[in-house]
Amino acid sequence: MNVLKNKLTFISPIAVIAIIFIFSLTLIPSISPAPKEMPVAIVNEDQGATLPNKTDMNMGNTIIENIRSQAIPGQDSPIKWIEVNSFAEVQKGLNEKKYYAALMIPSDFSKNQVSLQTPEPVSPEIQIFLNQGMNPLAANTAGQVLNGMVDGINANVRTQLLEGFEMQGGTITTEQAALLVSPITKTVINVNEIGTKSANGNAPVTMFQPIWMGSIAGAAIIFMTISKTVFRNRKDKLVGVSIQVLLGAVLALIAGFGLTWLASTMLGLNIPKFGDTGLFLSLTYFTFFLMISAVLMWLGIKGIPIFVIMLFFGAPLLAMPPEFMSSFYRDWINSWLPMRHMIEGLRELFFFGKGFGWSHSVQMLTWIGLGSIVVLFGSVFKKGPKEDAAEQ
């Protein structure tokens, strides 16, 4: 049979296996991700206290020392503890996306713990701050670790109190008995909250695919129009490429503000700053459009699979904190993805109260766009088959 004689028949199994293998790799980051070295701040403002036997005690320092002793050199831990000097510094770090969470030991912690053995006990308090806007998954995971740690401290304090009461004859007041259940009060505070109508904090990721696919479609359509045009000389081609860039800018404004409107009305997402979000998405679309157009002008329409593969490899990583990725994905894939700057910029707009300004995300998108423009205009000096035919 002719079918069996066709070499494509024998190549097809290899192609199928290759495709399955490549796209299976895109699933690896989302399968049982384990956190490693998530930055969490700890601030100890405990002033200490004096015990009845005149010895000094500082439970805040004891907690810090216990945390240090649990760190094993050369071994990854879910939490990377960062000691901070003051609560003000913690707040600044949370707003600058340095920490996923923070643990604060207040100045009266030891004093209140000593009071637990007196007739008028006051429950000592530990505060846990979760930086939801930075990444909900990482913040919740860090919160679970911190909650478990405070529960462990509670168990130790409860044991110490029972031993102390037993030494005193076993008599305790009603207030003391009530506090034995949970001697230390744990207060969890969400900062840079994701709020409602945010797709559980994944609104930035939700808006990525429409922009990415729209930029591919826009760049491909305009490229095909340009490629069918016969340019007599480089000047004409320069004009053609300039028109291509201008059309991309128009499409960017339509796509940016159009998606912002659709997200707020049809998808029901909470868009805090409509104008700023529209401008940022327009910049994002324009950057992606220029990048894709530059590749197409040099490689032709066969360059499209590059950006489809980027979508499949990049999409699973966008909602995932870098600390949850393997070193390969974190260093060699995530760090090179241009779309991650879109997600970071939208998080700042949605959850950190920032507007459209010269932020790190805007800077990176701008530089990628400018680099793409240079490559795009560089294609003016590349001769195509139609130009060669026209010269003949």
Side-chain angles (χ1 to χ4, degrees):
M1 295 177 65
N2 291 334
V3 174
L4 296 177
K5 293 180 180 179
N6 193 323
K7 62 181 180 180
L8 292 177
T9 303
F10 299 97
I11 294 175
S12 59
I14 300 174
V16 170
I17 293 172
I19 291 172
I20 291 175
F21 174 75
I22 291 172
F23 286 99
S24 294
L25 293 177
T26 67
L27 302 176
I28 293 176
S30 57
I31 298 175
S32 302
K36 294 179 182 178
E37 302 293 317
M38 290 189 299
V40 173
I42 182 168
V43 57
N44 176 27
E45 296 186 341
D46 189 7
Q47 298 296 315
T50 302
L51 297 174
N53 60 5
K54 304 302 180 180
T55 59
D56 293 330
M57 178 191 75
N58 191 304
M59 278 302 299
N61 289 340
T62 302
I63 293 172
I64 296 292
E65 290 301 323
N66 287 337
I67 290 174
R68 288 174 180 165
S69 64
Q70 291 173 6
I72 302 176
Q75 192 174 79
D76 290 331
S77 169
I79 299 295
K80 178 182 179 181
W81 293 101
I82 301 174
E83 295 181 38
V84 181
N85 295 322
S86 67
F87 177 60
E89 190 175 340
V90 167
Q91 286 181 309
K92 182 181 179 183
L94 291 170
N95 291 331
E96 292 179 352
K97 297 187 292 184
K98 292 181 179 179
Y99 320 121
Y100 289 115
L103 182 74
M104 176 170 174
I105 305 171
S107 60
D108 57 359
F109 187 79
S110 292
K111 176 183 175 183
N112 290 339
Q113 182 163 338
V114 171
S115 75
L116 294 176
Q117 297 185 18
T118 68
E120 297 181 353
V122 178
S123 179
E125 179 187 19
I126 286 182
Q127 293 179 326
I128 296 174
F129 296 88
L130 303 181
N131 198 0
Q132 284 190 324
M134 186 174 175
N135 189 285
L137 174 60
N140 291 336
T141 303
Q144 292 173 5
V145 174
L146 296 182
N147 276 298
M149 190 183 79
V150 175
D151 290 342
I153 296 173
N154 253 326
N156 291 334
V157 172
R158 188 185 304 115
T159 301
Q160 293 173 7
L161 288 174
L162 289 172
E163 292 174 352
F165 290 142
E166 186 175 353
M167 293 177 61
Q168 295 174 6
T171 303
I172 61 174
T173 66
T174 305
E175 291 81 0
Q176 289 173 327
L179 289 176
L180 277 176
V181 178
S182 183
I184 298 174
T185 301
K186 176 176 58 182
T187 304
V188 180
I189 303 168
N190 294 323
V191 296
N192 301 312
E193 294 184 77
I194 57 176
T196 58
K197 299 181 179 180
S198 67
N200 294 322
N202 289 315
V205 180
T206 302
M207 302 179 78
F208 157 68
Q209 192 162 322
I211 284 288
W212 184 255
M213 296 304 296
S215 59
I216 292 176
I221 291 171
I222 294 177
F223 165 74
M224 287 188 289
T225 303
I226 294 291
S227 63
K228 293 178 181 178
T229 304
V230 177
F231 298 103
R232 293 173 299 178
N233 49 50
R234 285 177 183 165
K235 182 179 179 181
D236 286 350
K237 194 170 184 179
L238 179 62
V239 172
V241 173
S242 299
I243 293 173
Q244 185 178 10
V245 173
L246 290 174
L247 289 173
V250 173
L251 289 177
L253 290 172
I254 295 172
F257 283 91
L259 179 58
T260 304
W261 179 80
L262 288 172
S264 61
T265 55
M266 295 183 64
L267 300 181
L269 297 178
N270 180 32
I271 308 294
K273 298 180 180 181
F274 185 93
D276 288 347
T277 302
L279 285 173
F280 181 78
L281 289 177
S282 296
L283 171 64
T284 301
Y285 181 98
F286 191 45
T287 296
F288 293 165
F289 173 90
L290 292 172
M291 180 176 62
I292 296 167
S293 296
V295 172
L296 295 182
M297 289 297 286
W298 281 94
L299 299 182
I301 204 69
K302 59 179 175 289
I304 289 291
I306 295 174
F307 301 101
V308 175
I309 291 174
M310 286 178 67
L311 169 65
F312 281 101
F313 273 92
L317 302 179
L318 296 180
M320 189 179 298
E323 292 79 10
F324 280 61
M325 303 175 194
S326 67
S327 58
F328 171 77
Y329 276 90
R330 183 178 60 250
D331 300 333
W332 294 101
I333 296 182
N334 184 66
S335 61
W336 293 93
L337 291 175
M339 57 275 281
R340 69 186 179 89
H341 301 297
M342 169 188 174
I343 305 304
E344 292 173 4
L346 286 177
R347 287 195 187 281
E348 292 180 349
L349 286 168
F350 289 175
F351 310 132
F352 287 80
K354 296 185 179 180
F356 181 76
W358 193 238
S359 63
H360 177 72
S361 300
V362 171
Q363 292 178 43
M364 292 305 298
L365 289 170
T366 301
W367 287 117
I368 293 172
L370 290 174
S372 300
I373 285 180
V374 172
V375 176
L376 182 58
F377 277 98
S379 67
V380 170
F381 300 96
K382 171 179 171 288
K383 288 186 178 182
K386 292 184 179 181
E387 291 175 281
D388 292 334
E391 289 180 0
Q392 294 173 2

